Amino acid sequence: MILETGDALCDYPRLIDVLRKSPSVLNAEASRGRLDLASKAGALVAAVDAAETIKPRNSLERMLAHQLAALHNAAMTMLANAKDLGRQHIANPGNQALSVESARSANSASRLITTYQNGMLALDRIRRGGKQTVTVQHMHVSDGGQAIVAGSVRGGGPRGTGRRARRGKAAK
């Protein structure tokens, strides 16, 4: 199969790039199918952008990028719907159905966002190979020295001069 830039398949963004890397009828059909599904989900542009951003190493990562884009679009649509229904309820407080539907949309958006975040974690695990890296460092602290173990430390003088101590003095 020879593809030219004027070919009908060029309507599918990035299909040419996929075929350049691994040219086969199977890859072409799989890629076109993924792009058709992303289009039907209303997430074609976002799916292509997401896949381009994560630079997928294989078809599974590309599919995950497309799913994440579709989830994001759906979540944002549900949030917008919840907001619109909430505004309508404020304008028409006697219609409780608007409030119920607004809450349902917000709840659906929340579940979609959680699913999206789980997908991002899955991508991270795939990329890391499911391994965690823990760095252990050995340090020596001399007498009178100070060491920071973890977290953020706020500066301050000797004990009893911090904000709590000043608050207590001011209150007396």
Side-chain angles (χ1 to χ4, degrees), residues 50 56 62 68 72 75 117 148 152:
R62 189 174 303 277
L68 290 170
H72 173 75
Q117 291 170 347
I148 298 174
S152 61

Side-chain angles (χ1 to χ4, degrees), residues 63-144:
M63 284 187 266
L64 185 55
H66 293 179
Q67 290 172 7
L68 290 170
L71 282 166
H72 173 75
N73 281 1
M76 298 305 283
T77 300
M78 294 305 277
L79 284 172
N81 189 42
K83 186 176 180 180
D84 290 343
L85 289 169
R87 283 185 185 149
Q88 290 175 30
H89 176 65
I90 289 170
N92 186 6
N95 190 346
Q96 289 298 313
L98 292 171
S99 177
V100 170
E101 289 305 314
S102 176
R104 285 182 179 165
S105 289
N107 187 33
S108 294
S110 175
R111 286 181 289 164
L112 288 165
I113 290 168
T114 299
T115 304
Y116 172 86
Q117 291 170 347
N118 287 337
M120 291 295 291
L121 291 172
L123 177 62
D124 183 53
R125 281 192 302 271
I126 290 167
R127 292 274 171 101
R128 286 187 293 112
K131 299 176 185 172
Q132 289 183 334
T133 304
V134 177
T135 304
V136 178
Q137 294 182 348
H138 184 75
M139 296 176 58
H140 290 282
V141 179
S142 303
D143 288 341

Side-chain angles (χ1 to χ4, degrees), residues 47-61:
V48 171
D49 180 55
E52 196 172 284
T53 300
I54 71 162
K55 298 184 184 355
R57 293 181 266 178
N58 55 44
S59 294
L60 295 176
E61 287 185 4

Side-chain angles (χ1 to χ4, degrees), residues 149-161:
V149 177
S152 61
V153 177
R154 295 184 185 154
R159 285 194 161 181
T161 62

